[in-house]
């Protein structure tokens, strides 16, 4: 749908109702199609070299590449459109277009590719794939704009210099019998010679088939014969045009004749400054309201079951579990205090659900410690009551006390798994820290 809208926009903006020969909507239409084919080729190349696709790749990259591609296309077409009214042979038209606009196209594309490749250093895999694919598609667009699109411009040059209509290129401009550029040029040379003898003040230096009567002051002071080489010398000058100032409306003429005059008026200047200051203040205020982060619903394709689930979860259950994962050979028994400090540090995070007393819910290590503390208290109580000693326990001993006894005597070694002497000096939990030597045995 986005490409269809771009085609419609291209046809509307590049079509000239007042000059249907120097209109270039057909060229713009095939240019958009060329960009679409380049995007498809770039996506295929990205898949071929093993770059993974994600939601951003399929929903953003094609339209981003479309915008960057048609930007170069519009620049080339605008350059071609403005130079057809100049005294340039049709054989040199394409070369002149690339000479004037080619450097800009290449520089812009290379800067975009470099920017995407630099952004590919981001350690997030999805964003890296997005940047790599955008860089590949930008390179494909550059290839097509410099090697394929000039061939389309060359075909449009032949159409313009043959006097054929835009889009309906099988038809010719009404009122012309010329079949080639050479005939058009020779006819105009003869006509200009006659007008020179009659001392006509309005020069018709443009081809008869495309000329329009201009005001006398427009070209009265110009010697039209200076722009033509004497045909007796054998060098005929090639040109074809219709001045953009001859009673036809274009965006360029609107900006030149109306907008540029309106924008320099004092009230408009004052209004522009006021609006700019207001936008600046709003921007400064809005910076503090920007929230960093990326919701899962922003990267999941819409109208899918996953997207519906995330929407419902966010609407009715607006909270998520958080997990802190350790890396490397992290030893939990020796770093219990560090884990507790790390867990308690999340109290300072505002968007975390806390208990009524302002603390955090217990996690696995604190729950493990609470359970072992309960067993240790039962063991101490039954030992004080004489229900168990170093050699064993009686029937009156509680299950928690017996379990604590069994945990305390374990060594973790296959050769001597039980050591009753540990009961004399070992505790399951001491000073809020689980016994490091038996930590994994207790688990």
């Amino acid at each position: 749908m986005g490409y269809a809208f771009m085609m419609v926009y291209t046809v509307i903006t590049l079509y000239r109702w007042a000059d249907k020969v120097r209109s270039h909507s057909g060229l713009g239409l095939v240019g958009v199609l060329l960009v679409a084919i380049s995007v498809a080729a770039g996506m295929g190349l990205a898949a071929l070299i093993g770059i993974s696709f994600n939601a951003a790749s399929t929903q953003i990259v094609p339209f981003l590449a479309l915008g960057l591609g048609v930007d170069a296309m519009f620049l080339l077409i605008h350059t071609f459109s403005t130079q057809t009214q100049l005294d340039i042979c049709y054989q040199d038209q394409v070369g002149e277009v690339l000479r004037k606009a080619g450097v800009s196209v290449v520089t812009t594309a290379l800067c975009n590719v470099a920017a995407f490749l630099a952004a590919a250093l981001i350690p997030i895999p999805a964003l890296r794939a997005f940047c790599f694919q955008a860089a590949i598609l930008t390179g494909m667009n550059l290839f097509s704009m410099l090697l394929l699109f000039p061939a389309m411009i060359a075909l449009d040059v032949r159409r313009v210099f043959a006097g054929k209509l835009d889009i309906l290129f099988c038809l010719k401009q009404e009122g012309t019998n010329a079949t080639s550029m050479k005939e058009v040029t020779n006819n105009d040379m003869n006509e200009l010679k006659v007008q020179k003898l009659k001392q006509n003040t309005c020069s018709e230096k443009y081809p008869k088939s495309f000329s329009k009567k201009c005001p006398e002051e427009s070209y009265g002071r110009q010697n039209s014969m200076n722009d033509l080489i004497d045909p007796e010398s054998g060098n005929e000058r090639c040109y074809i045009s219709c001045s953009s100032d001859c009673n036809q409306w274009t965006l360029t003429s609107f900006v030149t004749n109306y907008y540029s005059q309106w924008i320099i008026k004092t009230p408009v200047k004052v209004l522009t400054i006021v609006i700019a200051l207001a936008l600046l203040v709003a921007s400064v205020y809005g910076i503090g309201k920007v929230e960093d982060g990326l919701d899962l619903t922003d990267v999941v394709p819409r109208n899918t079951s996953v997207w519906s689930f995330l929407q419902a979860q966010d609407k009715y259950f607006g909270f998520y579990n958080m997990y802190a994962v350790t890396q490397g050979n992290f030893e939990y028994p020796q770093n219990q205090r560090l884990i507790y400090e790390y867990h308690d540090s999340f109290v300072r995070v505002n968007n975390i659900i806390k208990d009524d007393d302002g603390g955090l819910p217990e996690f696995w290590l604190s729950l493990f410690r609470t359970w072992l503390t309960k067993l240790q208290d039962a063991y101490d109580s039954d030992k004080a009551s004489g229900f168990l000693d170093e050699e064993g326990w009686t029937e009156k001993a509680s299950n928690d006390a017996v379990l604590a006894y069994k945990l305390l005597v374990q060594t973790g070694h296959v050769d001597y798994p039980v050591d009753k002497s540990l009961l004399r000096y070992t505790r399951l939990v001491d000073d809020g820290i689980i016994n490091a030597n038996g930590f994994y045995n207790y688990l």
Side-chain angles (χ1 to χ4, degrees):
M1 185 62 69
Y3 281 76
F5 279 123
M6 180 58 68
M7 292 179 184
V8 174
Y9 171 79
T10 302
V11 171
I12 293 176
T13 55
L14 294 180
Y15 192 80
R16 294 188 178 186
W17 296 96
D19 189 357
K20 297 180 178 59
V21 174
R22 288 205 306 119
S23 174
H24 303 290
S25 59
L27 180 61
L29 181 62
V30 296
V32 175
L33 294 176
L34 177 62
V35 172
I37 296 174
S38 300
V39 171
M43 298 295 282
L45 179 60
L48 185 63
I49 63 179
I51 299 178
S52 60
F53 284 74
N54 50 61
S57 302
T58 57
Q59 300 182 27
I60 300 177
V61 172
F63 301 100
L64 177 63
L66 171 64
L68 296 176
V70 298
D71 176 69
M73 181 200 72
F74 275 113
L75 178 60
L76 294 174
I77 292 179
H78 176 74
T79 304
F80 169 53
S81 177
T82 56
Q83 79 174 19
T84 53
Q85 61 184 344
L86 302 178
D87 188 15
I88 301 175
C89 293
Y90 73 94
Q91 297 94 337
D92 300 331
Q93 287 282 334
V94 177
E96 284 295 315
V97 170
L98 295 179
R99 183 183 68 84
K100 295 176 180 178
V103 176
S104 299
V105 172
V106 173
T107 303
T108 302
L110 291 181
C111 289
N112 290 333
V113 171
F116 286 126
L117 292 179
L121 299 176
I122 298 175
I124 303 176
L127 292 181
R128 291 184 62 189
F130 170 84
C131 294
F132 277 126
Q133 290 164 349
I136 292 175
L137 265 61
T138 304
M140 293 297 294
N141 282 335
L142 175 62
F143 173 82
S144 61
M145 286 297 111
L146 290 183
L147 296 181
L148 302 180
F149 193 64
M152 299 178 179
I153 296 178
L155 294 176
D156 205 50
V157 168
R158 297 176 62 181
R159 177 192 64 80
V160 172
F161 279 76
K164 301 295 183 65
L165 298 180
D166 187 20
I167 299 181
L168 302 176
F169 48 84
C170 295
L171 304 179
K172 298 189 66 175
Q173 176 84 356
E174 295 181 0
T176 178
N177 296 321
T179 58
S180 65
M181 184 56 213
K182 185 174 182 180
E183 287 188 42
V184 173
T185 304
N186 291 337
N187 292 339
D188 289 335
M189 283 182 171
N190 296 330
E191 182 180 355
L192 288 172
K193 285 184 177 181
V194 173
Q195 293 173 356
K196 178 67 175 179
L197 295 176
K198 294 182 179 180
Q199 296 181 350
N200 190 357
T201 57
C202 182
S203 170
E204 293 190 8
K205 94 177 189 180
Y206 299 97
K208 179 175 62 178
S209 56
F210 302 95
S211 62
K212 295 185 180 182
K213 295 299 181 179
C214 302
E216 294 182 0
E217 60 271 18
S218 300
Y219 299 105
R221 297 181 181 179
Q222 297 182 9
N223 185 1
S224 60
M225 297 303 294
N226 292 335
D227 295 329
L228 297 173
I229 299 177
D230 188 357
E232 297 178 357
S233 64
N235 297 324
E236 298 181 359
R237 179 162 295 199
C238 301
Y239 67 91
I240 186 167
S241 67
C242 176
S243 175
S244 61
D245 296 330
C246 293
N247 301 324
Q248 59 177 330
W249 187 94
T250 62
L251 183 60
T252 303
S253 63
F254 170 77
V255 173
T256 303
N257 299 328
Y258 300 100
Y259 181 76
S260 61
Q261 302 298 325
W262 175 76
I263 198 67
I264 61 176
K265 294 182 179 180
T266 302
V268 178
K269 292 180 179 179
V270 174
L271 180 62
T272 303
I273 294 175
V274 172
I275 294 176
L277 292 177
L279 292 176
L280 178 61
V281 173
S283 300
V284 173
Y285 174 77
I287 290 177
K289 302 295 182 179
V290 175
E291 296 182 359
D292 190 15
L294 183 65
D295 294 334
L296 291 178
T297 53
D298 294 335
V299 296
V300 174
R302 292 179 178 269
N303 301 324
T304 60
S305 58
V306 177
W307 184 83
S308 300
F309 169 78
L310 293 175
Q311 281 286 94
Q313 185 183 45
D314 184 64
K315 182 178 181 180
Y316 300 106
F317 307 97
F319 57 89
Y320 303 90
N321 293 325
M322 186 196 70
Y323 303 94
V325 181
T326 59
Q327 294 181 345
N329 297 323
F330 186 82
E331 291 293 338
Y332 292 99
Q334 286 75 26
N335 295 282
Q336 295 181 56
R337 294 190 184 277
L338 178 62
I339 295 175
Y340 285 121
E341 292 175 359
Y342 178 67
H343 178 262
D344 295 338
S345 64
F346 286 97
V347 176
R348 297 189 293 271
V349 180
N350 296 326
N351 295 327
I352 290 183
I353 299 177
K354 303 177 179 63
D355 295 334
D356 295 337
D357 58 356
L360 295 176
E362 288 192 90
F363 66 113
W364 70 270
L365 185 59
S366 62
L367 293 173
F368 185 33
R369 179 181 63 181
T370 301
W371 176 68
L372 291 177
T373 301
K374 176 184 175 183
L375 297 182
Q376 184 67 54
D377 293 340
Y379 175 82
D380 293 340
S381 176
D382 286 8
K383 182 179 180 181
S385 301
F387 298 151
L388 52 76
D389 54 19
E390 187 174 322
E391 297 300 326
W393 59 87
T394 64
E395 295 181 355
K396 295 183 179 182
S398 64
N399 293 332
D400 289 343
V402 174
L403 180 57
Y405 179 92
K406 294 179 179 180
L407 292 176
L408 287 170
V409 299
Q410 290 185 18
T411 62
H413 297 284
V414 178
D415 297 334
Y416 49 98
V418 177
D419 185 3
K420 295 182 179 180
S421 63
L422 295 175
L423 296 170
R424 304 171 190 170
Y425 53 85
T426 301
R427 298 183 63 83
L428 297 176
V429 179
D430 188 14
D431 193 20
I433 300 299
I434 301 173
N435 179 24
N437 294 328
F439 186 91
Y440 292 111
N441 296 332
Y442 305 156
L443 283 175

